[in-house]
Amino acid sequence: DIVLTQSPATLSLSPGERATLSCRASQAVSNFLVWYQQRPGQAPRLLIYDTSNRATGIPARFSGSGSGTDFTLTISSLEPEDFAVYYCQQRVDWPYTFGQGTKLEIK
Amino acid sequence: QVQLVQSGAEVRQPGASVKVSCKTSGYIFLTYYIHWIRQAPGQGLEWMGVINPTGGSPTYARKWQGRVTMTTDTSTSTANMELSDLSFEDSAVYYCTREGQLLPFDSWGQGTLVTVSS
């Protein structure tokens, strides 16, 4: 199975700052890397699919990049509603796997 | 609009089974795979498996093979996930979600809390 490792586990930033979240895969996943946001008590929400494509309704401050085994989610200027947990997921092959998550908290 | 509406919270004893349903609407049921994801309290997301509503055998994650059964009912556009031989570690929120040809999990059910308690 493909293991996804996210870093950091927790990121403490202030509104308006830039956030950079990392996801590393144990083997190449082509561009089939996806990012989700999960707020407390809610289902995950699709943010970015296939490395860099924003899902419908996702603000332009969210962007994704990377290739092969190393991927990044960037939030250019944090809004209060962006403080949540972020998961990466690979969908190159079953079993699909998720990273362990990065908690983005208010500093 | 697209909706995936799951059945309500369940409490089971160890060794019992639980069946969670996921009723879909707002799209053509046959054109999207249904996946099931588990989230234990305070933990991350775990992929359990996938089923193609048009037919064929589901694919299950190794961890749950032998205990999980995924089915669909095309007459009601509903997917079901049954987990047997429950243990305390199976207490979690179970989500259904859909995957299309282009888009991954773009719509999710609201989650079903399963509590295993003696």
Side-chain angles (χ1 to χ4, degrees), chain B residues 89-112:
Chain B
E89 291 70 35
D90 292 317
S91 294
V93 175
Y94 292 80
Y95 292 102
C96 62
T97 182
R98 69 173 195 168
E99 179 186 29
Q101 230 179 352
L102 293 178
L103 283 177
F105 307 155
D106 64 334
S107 290
W108 294 66
Q110 81 277 20
T112 296

Side-chain angles (χ1 to χ4, degrees), chain A residues 1 34 36 38 41-46 48-50 55-56 87 89 91 94-100, chain B residues 33 35 37 39 43-47 50 59 61-62 95 99-106 108-110:
Chain A
D1 297 0
V34 185
Y36 302 90
Q38 188 176 34
Q42 296 186 14
R45 173 193 180 198
L46 175 64
I48 302 286
Y49 65 97
D50 298 349
T56 301
Y87 294 96
Q89 177 229 338
R91 67 179 197 125
W94 297 335
Y96 287 174
T97 49
F98 292 88
Q100 81 280 17
Chain B
Y33 288 9
H35 295 251
I37 310 296
Q39 187 168 38
Q43 302 300 308
L45 304 170
E46 279 187 287
W47 184 82
V50 57
T59 296
R62 218 170 5 250
Y95 292 102
E99 179 186 29
Q101 230 179 352
L102 293 178
L103 283 177
F105 307 155
D106 64 334
W108 294 66
Q110 81 277 20

Side-chain angles (χ1 to χ4, degrees), chain B residues 48 60 63 66 75 84 96 102 108 111:
Chain B
M48 297 183 70
Y60 303 134
K63 179 174 181 176
S75 68
S84 64
C96 62
L102 293 178
W108 294 66

Side-chain angles (χ1 to χ4, degrees), chain B residues 62-107:
Chain B
R62 218 170 5 250
K63 179 174 181 176
W64 286 286
Q65 274 180 3
R67 287 209 298 137
V68 68
T69 303
M70 295 177 188
T71 58
T72 57
D73 181 347
T74 54
S75 68
T76 60
S77 299
T78 298
N80 302 289
M81 186 280 297
E82 184 168 15
L83 190 61
S84 64
D85 193 21
L86 293 168
S87 69
F88 297 120
E89 291 70 35
D90 292 317
S91 294
V93 175
Y94 292 80
Y95 292 102
C96 62
T97 182
R98 69 173 195 168
E99 179 186 29
Q101 230 179 352
L102 293 178
L103 283 177
F105 307 155
D106 64 334
S107 290

